[in-house]
Amino acid sequence: MTVMDDWVTAVCAELDLDPSAVPVPAVLDLARDVAHQVLRPGAPVTAYLFGLAVGRGADPADVAARLGALAGSWPVELGADPADPTAP
């Protein structure tokens, strides 16, 4: 097991969730895409929104694909906020 596996298992136990239902690679890929193509602080917020959508019954693969495509098509001029010290 990896540290990520251990962490997900512990968090799932704390929240009474099934760790096998957690699409870790999809969440990490989505967070990476948002952080690099939109803005870094958008990554955890997007992961939270992903979780809300999935919690309401949306398919995780579909949500990840849709949000990944949105991040990939995000206009470069909108992705950088010079006032944001955490911006890429």
Side-chain angles (χ1 to χ4, degrees):
M1 283 188 104
T2 67
V3 174
M4 179 64 77
D5 294 331
D6 292 342
W7 174 249
V8 170
T9 298
V11 171
C12 285
E14 184 70 25
L15 299 176
D16 195 27
L17 299 171
D18 176 7
S20 69
V22 180
V24 172
V27 174
L28 293 176
D29 288 347
L30 177 59
R32 178 201 61 220
D33 293 346
V34 172
H36 292 169
Q37 297 171 6
V38 182
L39 78 160
R40 282 182 227 168
V45 173
T46 302
Y48 174 78
L49 296 171
F50 172 92
L52 285 178
V54 171
R56 291 182 177 169
D59 176 64
D62 178 59
V63 173
R66 290 172 53 199
L67 295 179
L70 180 62
S73 68
W74 197 254
V76 174
E77 63 273 7
L78 295 179
D81 180 357
D84 181 357
T86 64

